[in-house]
Amino acid sequence: MEALADASRSIAIYPTLILLLPAPFSLLKRYTAKKRLLKTATQQHLHQMHWLEFEALVGEFYKQKGFNVSQSLNHAPDGGVDIELRKAGELQLVQCKHWKARKVGVKVLRELYGVMLDRHANKMIVVTSGDFTSDAIKFTSTKQFELINGGQLLSMIEETKPKAAGKTANIQQKAIAPICPRCESTLVLRTAKQGKHNGKSFYGCTRFPQCRYIKQNQNNKCSSSNL
């Protein structure tokens, strides 16, 4: 009897382990999607992806924007919805079109409009790696649609990326940029293209040619004067 009880306890462990198995895979998928988001910067990057990778990229973007994201990332029929977004009590639906050659046309958007109404969603978002036809854009102009083409997606992704140290340094440099004493505009570092100071750097007024004030750069001997 005791042996039977031990066997029962051992068997009961297996369903628990099976339930725990998806967790590491889910974390791995999220880690992969985050890396992909950081590396994606060009149209070529978008086109080289598998369509499931493209969907994962879009889902990760919306996670970074604070949405509660639900997506299956499998080959099963999606019924016109690849991703469900929830935020502030609203439901937004996302359909991804990883199309390299042809544009997303109005027929596709008419079908998605029906899906949006049927699901009582607040918005339908259509994301493509390519572009949309003019008829498709016209059809959605008065409806709760958001159309995102490949170029727009890349710009949106860039906004989620951490700023590089170099960019931070540039911002700090701009914050302490010298000011023109004549017109109080910002001075920027420039390089002389001709004359006796050819090749040397100097600070010039951003209102040039209206203001021709220049200031010596400490690294060379180009003196303050008018150009």
Side-chain angles (χ1 to χ4, degrees):
M1 192 68 179
E2 186 177 346
L4 181 61
D6 290 340
S8 298
R9 284 194 292 269
S10 298
I11 293 171
I13 292 174
Y14 291 105
T16 304
L17 291 175
I18 291 171
L19 291 173
L20 290 174
L21 280 176
F25 288 107
S26 177
L27 291 173
L28 178 61
K29 284 182 179 179
R30 182 75 196 276
Y31 174 74
T32 303
K34 282 184 175 181
K35 284 187 66 177
R36 186 179 296 115
L37 191 72
L38 286 171
K39 291 181 178 180
T40 300
T42 66
Q43 286 283 357
Q44 185 179 5
H45 290 157
L46 294 179
H47 293 331
Q48 287 175 342
M49 293 178 191
H50 184 271
W51 63 270
L52 277 177
E53 292 176 333
F54 182 71
E55 288 184 17
L57 174 81
V58 175
E60 182 60 31
F61 165 77
Y62 283 106
K63 285 177 183 176
Q64 296 287 337
K65 299 297 287 184
F67 285 89
N68 184 1
V69 176
S70 175
Q71 61 183 147
S72 57
L73 292 176
N74 58 43
H75 293 80
D78 56 32
V81 178
D82 292 318
I83 306 170
E84 293 182 3
L85 305 176
R86 286 182 170 82
K87 189 177 184 181
E90 291 190 351
L91 170 63
Q92 300 182 27
L93 307 177
V94 182
Q95 177 67 13
C96 302
K97 295 295 183 185
H98 189 239
W99 291 359
K100 304 175 185 179
R102 62 194 181 102
K103 296 181 178 181
V104 179
V106 68
K107 181 181 178 182
V108 172
L109 299 186
R110 284 198 181 102
E111 293 172 355
L112 294 177
Y113 184 56
V115 172
M116 182 184 73
L117 295 178
D118 185 61
R119 295 285 303 275
H120 303 287
N122 299 91
K123 182 190 288 187
M124 173 63 78
I125 304 171
V126 187
V127 186
T128 178
S129 54
D131 210 340
F132 300 89
T133 66
S134 56
D135 286 341
I137 295 172
K138 184 178 180 181
F139 172 76
T140 60
S141 62
T142 57
K143 298 173 176 63
Q144 292 300 104
F145 267 78
E146 182 179 358
L147 304 184
I148 302 173
N149 64 23
Q152 291 169 316
L153 178 61
L154 291 172
S155 297
M156 292 161 64
I157 288 173
E158 283 301 315
E159 293 176 1
T160 67
K161 295 180 181 179
K163 304 302 180 185
K167 291 183 179 179
T168 303
N170 287 338
I171 293 172
Q172 292 174 343
Q173 184 178 8
K174 288 180 180 178
I176 59 173
I179 300 299
C180 176
R182 296 185 178 173
C183 67
E184 298 185 351
S185 298
T186 304
L187 298 179
V188 294
L189 195 63
R190 294 183 174 136
T191 302
K193 303 291 186 181
Q194 57 187 359
K196 63 180 181 179
H197 298 299
N198 183 34
K200 295 181 179 180
S201 59
F202 65 94
Y203 285 98
C205 184
T206 52
R207 291 189 65 247
F208 178 86
Q210 288 82 5
C211 178
R212 294 174 174 268
Y213 177 84
I214 64 172
K215 180 182 178 182
Q216 171 182 313
N217 180 12
Q218 294 179 354
N219 294 329
N220 57 54
K221 297 181 179 178
C222 181
S223 58
S224 299
S225 65
N226 287 326
L227 291 177

